[in-house]
Amino acid sequence: MLNKLMVNLLLVASVVALPVSYASAEVLDEDIEITESVSDGENASDDAAMEEQSANAVANYDVDGSLFQQITDLEQEKVLMQLEKERAQLDLELDRLAAEKIKLHMEIDTLSGRAEQQQQELENAKAKLEAETAKLEKQKAALESEDAEPVAKSARAASTDDEKTEVKKVTELFKLVNIFGAGNQLQATVADLTTGQNKKISVGRSIDGYTVKSISLDDGIMFVDPDGNAQTLNVVSGK
């Protein structure tokens, strides 16, 4: 019962308090609006003053010797030092490349010199080989000539023997028929015992390889055979 009474009292108090709270809220809102409008006016004047002050500060700002200038100079020096460092590195690379180029040219010259030297050595070796080959060919030809010489000598000796055996006596080849003429103009007629033909001869004439050396009524006819030996065909031997 008591609790129910307390609840009712609270409800009545809340109903009474609602209009008061609403009025207080309206008053509070009005105060806030007035304060904000005053603040906005003050802020606008402050902003204008700050802008004017900033403009004056920018206009009257001296860059030389300022912190900004010092920072800018330091950055520029840092950039220049980096550029110098890079340029020095490039110079070193260029020097290294130049040294490599010189070394490469020296190696090329060395290889070229070696190639020429090797070519000269090959040509010398080739010339030496050709000379040795020619010498061996000459020695071979000499040996072949020496080997062939005894055969040639034997052949010449055999040929000479054959020729000697073939040389016959004039009495076996010819027969004196007659001698005619007078003085140094004597001539003779001989018969070929092989063919049976008569042949007229005179001094200096050759017949079948035999040369007439002289004709005499007393001594008959003297011949010189192919071996250079003298043979006589006289009247007695011719009969």
Side-chain angles (χ1 to χ4, degrees), residues 118-133:
Q118 290 177 355
Q119 182 67 27
Q120 186 64 36
E121 290 177 354
L122 288 174
E123 291 179 357
N124 293 336
K126 182 179 179 181
K128 184 177 180 181
L129 182 61
E130 291 177 353
E132 291 179 353
T133 302

Side-chain angles (χ1 to χ4, degrees), residues 163 166-175 190-202 204-212 223-229 231 233:
E163 289 177 357
E166 288 178 358
V167 174
K168 296 180 179 180
K169 294 181 179 181
V170 291
T171 56
E172 297 175 356
L173 298 174
F174 309 110
K175 177 182 179 182
V190 296
D192 190 334
L193 298 178
T194 303
T195 62
Q197 294 179 351
N198 291 336
K199 296 180 180 181
K200 186 182 292 186
I201 58 177
S202 59
R205 184 177 177 182
S206 295
I207 179 173
D208 295 340
Y210 294 80
T211 303
V212 179
F223 292 91
V224 177
D225 62 23
D227 289 338
N229 299 319
Q231 296 188 31
L233 180 65

Side-chain angles (χ1 to χ4, degrees), residues 29-44:
D29 291 336
E30 291 178 358
D31 292 338
I32 290 171
E33 290 178 357
I34 293 170
T35 303
E36 287 180 353
S37 57
V38 173
S39 299
D40 291 337
E42 293 178 354
N43 290 333

Side-chain angles (χ1 to χ4, degrees), residues 88-104:
Q89 186 67 28
L90 289 175
D91 291 338
L92 291 175
E93 289 293 328
L94 290 174
D95 292 339
R96 184 182 65 81
L97 291 175
E100 290 291 334
K101 184 178 180 181
I102 294 173
K103 182 179 179 181
L104 182 60

Side-chain angles (χ1 to χ4, degrees), residues 125-143:
K126 182 179 179 181
K128 184 177 180 181
L129 182 61
E130 291 177 353
E132 291 179 353
T133 302
K135 183 178 179 180
L136 291 174
E137 290 291 338
K138 187 176 181 180
Q139 292 177 353
K140 180 181 178 181
L143 290 175

